[in-house]
Amino acid sequence: MSRTAVNRTLLALVGLVLLAGGLLLLAGGLDLNHRWHLGLPSDWTVTDPHHAVLDPADRVRWRGDGWWWPSVFAALGVVALLSLWWLLAQLRTGTADRVAVPAAADVPVRLRGGALAQAVADGAEQIPGVSRARVRILGRARRPRARITLTLAPGAAPGPVLHELAAGPLGDARRTTGVSLPAEARVRVESGSVPRVQ
Amino acid sequence: MSVASPAGTAPAPAAADAPDRPDAVRARRFWSARRNAAALAALVAVAAAGALLYEEIYIRSGNRAHAWRTWISDQLADRHLDDAWVIAGSAVVCALGLWLLLLAATPGLRRLLPLATEDTGGLRAALDRRAAAAMLRRAALETPGVREAGVKVGRRRARVRAVVGFGDPGEVKTALAEHLSVERGRLGLVRPPMVNVKVRTQSKGRRRS
């Protein structure tokens, strides 16, 4: 699962928990269970507007039971570790240091991701209309993908440049390495070339 | 395959016919990884769970609870559900939850407009909104009679405000609209924005030197 998918799943999960908890408290505070006949169990203390948010009696209710403390520590520990892992996952750049080369499957070849990126970038900068190209190889060694940031010279159109990029440097990189290398390009235009009028 | 000259007068290649069939290619947006939101949510969760865990261990090993812990449990015990603070807090929590769900479900990266890339296998591309604005602005300024131009590009619409320096404003506007519609094709977007053009004549009081 990609980081995007993980992030979005966990964000949705956290969002759902917050929304459900908030709605429950709100329904309790505004007495909606009674007024709108929501059908929440009436022995839930959260449905009574005059009840405390968390009664000390409720808080210590299960303290005597043997399962309580292990469960509390386990739950808090799991949440803390999981969130720590989630946090650290955001700090990674996602760059592939090495790329597996299927074209040389019988010879052990080590291709650095940076070298492949540099080759594509150098080729891209040769395309007429491109003033700067930055390439990063992302993902894993066996499934690398390229992220290309193109800065066009003033007056150039993205269409032909992209066509040449796919046919030229990107196609060459795919052919020589045998990697399918899906790519996404973000196109900008050189700034400062047009006189700014505020 | 020709690349337009810097003067921007070369005819637009294949991309120019994209505006005529905007639905032919599905606009696949770029999806953000939502790193910032995820990092923030994770940070808050780590801090909260870590603090609670630390406090429980601290108390269990025979110490008195810290003041913050006592304050929180007192607040939770004293405030009833119909307390204004509790209701406001719950509403904020609901809004936060909705916001996170929205972040999870929407693509984000609204600055990137998908480019038509049907002839570039395995290459997806998007044009920065500011780049689209710069291209349109350049085209506007190349139109004879246009002295100044400001362009704002939204996701569906581009607004061009031009100041006419000489010539008949009506004619300049017609030429400008024509020029911009060519440039709109050259952008090569899957969904080219509608271009709204407004022109005004140079007002004497605000003349720039």
Side-chain angles (χ1 to χ4, degrees):
Chain A
M1 204 148 101
S2 72
R3 177 165 64 186
T4 304
V6 170
N7 281 358
R8 286 170 176 277
T9 310
L10 288 177
L11 281 176
L13 197 71
V14 174
L16 268 180
V17 168
L18 289 182
L19 186 63
L23 282 178
L24 199 63
L25 285 177
L26 214 53
L30 302 175
D31 201 14
L32 298 184
N33 187 38
H34 184 240
R35 260 190 258 176
W36 292 355
H37 308 289
L38 294 182
L40 296 174
S42 53
D43 56 339
W44 285 14
T45 51
V46 77
T47 57
D48 177 8
H50 304 298
H51 201 274
V53 181
L54 184 59
D55 205 272
D58 290 342
R59 189 153 55 84
V60 300
R61 185 190 289 181
W62 295 292
R63 251 181 212 184
D65 299 359
W67 55 267
W68 173 248
W69 285 115
S71 312
V72 167
F73 285 122
L76 284 177
V78 165
V79 170
L81 281 180
L82 192 73
S83 340
L84 189 64
W85 166 81
W86 194 26
L87 180 64
L88 292 180
Q90 309 311 312
L91 302 180
R92 284 189 293 111
T93 55
T95 311
D97 296 328
R98 220 178 311 147
V99 174
V101 184
D106 41 349
V107 196
V109 175
R110 284 188 168 189
L111 176 60
R112 286 193 307 111
L116 184 59
Q118 193 61 50
V120 177
D122 287 347
E125 285 186 347
Q126 300 299 314
I127 298 172
V130 174
S131 68
R132 220 165 36 253
R134 261 192 61 214
V135 180
R136 284 171 58 205
I137 304 294
L138 305 174
R140 307 246 167 96
R142 300 207 166 274
R143 278 175 55 194
R145 56 184 210 280
R147 177 175 293 173
I148 305 168
T149 308
L150 286 178
T151 308
L152 299 187
V161 168
L162 289 172
H163 187 86
E164 285 201 32
L165 176 68
L170 199 58
D172 291 345
R174 287 171 179 159
R175 267 190 302 280
T176 50
T177 60
V179 177
S180 67
L181 199 67
E184 58 171 59
R186 302 177 177 200
V187 182
R188 299 178 184 165
V189 169
E190 205 169 275
S191 60
S193 49
V194 183
R196 287 208 176 275
V197 183
Q198 299 296 329
Chain B
M1 185 52 38
S2 70
V3 174
S5 67
T9 48
D17 57 4
D20 300 329
R21 40 182 182 81
D23 297 323
V25 204
R26 203 159 58 89
R28 273 187 63 204
R29 294 265 305 265
F30 279 29
W31 282 63
S32 158
R34 296 287 188 218
R35 268 174 87 179
N36 293 337
L40 199 65
L43 192 67
V44 171
V46 167
L52 278 178
L53 193 60
Y54 168 81
E55 188 68 9
E56 292 307 325
I57 294 173
Y58 186 73
I59 298 169
R60 289 276 285 171
S61 52
N63 295 291
R64 287 174 61 88
H66 283 110
W68 62 266
R69 163 69 198 259
T70 323
W71 183 82
I72 289 178
S73 41
D74 286 351
Q75 289 291 320
L76 291 179
D78 291 346
R79 295 201 182 273
H80 289 180
L81 285 169
D82 56 359
D83 184 286
W85 282 104
V86 174
I87 289 178
S90 316
V92 169
V93 169
C94 283
L96 199 64
L98 269 182
W99 178 242
L100 290 185
L101 281 174
L102 199 73
L103 282 181
T106 54
L109 294 178
R110 294 170 54 82
R111 261 184 50 194
L112 296 176
L113 306 171
L115 283 162
T117 51
E118 56 265 54
D119 58 344
T120 54
L123 173 66
R124 298 171 54 211
L127 185 65
D128 192 284
R129 235 147 59 161
R130 274 184 303 189
M135 286 179 71
L136 290 176
R137 173 149 189 273
R138 189 185 168 80
L141 287 175
E142 280 164 5
T143 312
V146 173
R147 182 187 210 101
E148 294 170 18
V151 178
K152 276 185 189 161
V153 173
R155 293 202 56 81
R156 293 192 182 80
R157 188 168 304 168
R159 290 188 178 82
V160 181
R161 300 164 149 274
V163 177
V164 176
F166 60 86
D168 174 51
E171 282 172 20
V172 171
K173 184 175 177 179
T174 313
L176 180 59
E178 215 164 279
H179 205 159
L180 284 172
S181 98
V182 173
E183 188 68 11
R184 170 179 175 264
R186 278 184 81 236
L187 294 177
L189 295 173
V190 175
R191 288 203 187 126
M194 280 179 32
V195 180
N196 288 1
V197 182
K198 275 186 185 164
V199 297
R200 61 185 172 88
T201 48
Q202 180 96 49
S203 56
K204 278 176 185 142
R206 297 175 55 196
R207 188 179 293 272
R208 287 165 196 269
S209 57

